[in-house]
Amino acid sequence: LTLTEPDPTGAFSALTAMRPLPPLGELELAVQFAPTQEATSYQQLVLACPRGDMILTLQGQGAAPSLRMILPEEQLLAHAPATLHLGPALVGDTVAQAFTLENGSDFDLPFELKTLRAGHRNRGGVLVLEVSPRVATVPAKGRVSVTATFRP
């Protein structure tokens, strides 16, 4: 059994080394898809053996996710780009501000918002900064509103 590799400059590559295949045996073939552009790619793998060849057509869709954060308009004028400023708040107060995540892709984009380091808690034991939803999916060409809440 031999394998004719896909085009070495193409998006597909075979990861499995060929080995003898016993009668009625099986072979698991691992193939990698690494697109270099947003497009549909096709390539053929040829598995050759003494009794005939088997042609396997590979197809993959290259995609480039596009997620954009949209801040309220007053935020854009007053602060650095991509900074959500919640303003001053007294201990015990709650300040909330919404922003939007916009998906420019042709497919749904799941997301999970995580803090970069462990946040501290206020006197009531509640996290000082929370976002909701933390985990969600932005539909293709759609938007999801996220609320950041600050409770010092």
Side-chain angles (χ1 to χ4, degrees):
L1 183 67
T2 59
L3 173 69
T4 302
E5 284 283 335
D7 177 1
T9 63
F12 295 94
S13 58
L15 303 177
T16 305
M18 290 291 98
R19 59 183 188 274
L21 187 62
L24 302 176
E26 295 179 5
L27 173 68
E28 186 173 311
L29 183 62
V31 177
Q32 175 178 303
F33 177 58
T36 57
Q37 60 185 340
E38 287 186 80
T40 302
S41 297
Y42 298 94
Q43 286 189 7
Q44 291 187 332
L45 283 180
V46 179
L47 294 167
C49 65
R51 295 211 164 196
D53 296 344
M54 182 172 91
I55 298 173
L56 176 65
T57 301
L58 305 173
Q59 175 185 347
Q61 178 66 43
S66 170
L67 188 64
R68 185 170 75 108
M69 183 171 75
I70 302 170
L71 297 174
E73 228 171 280
E74 65 274 9
Q75 295 276 323
L76 298 176
L77 300 175
H79 305 285
T83 299
L84 182 66
H85 182 67
L86 297 173
L90 296 173
V91 173
D93 281 354
T94 297
V95 178
Q97 180 71 57
F99 62 94
T100 301
L101 294 177
E102 180 180 68
N103 179 3
S105 311
D106 292 327
F107 48 88
D108 296 349
L109 281 178
F111 72 88
E112 180 178 0
L113 298 173
K114 297 179 179 182
T115 56
L116 296 177
R117 56 188 157 154
H120 62 279
R121 298 181 182 276
N122 64 18
R123 291 181 182 163
V126 178
L127 285 174
V128 173
L129 183 63
E130 293 183 300
V131 292
S132 178
R134 263 188 354 86
V135 177
T137 298
V138 185
K141 302 292 184 191
R143 293 178 171 189
V144 167
S145 180
V146 178
T147 301
T149 305
F150 179 50
R151 295 182 191 96

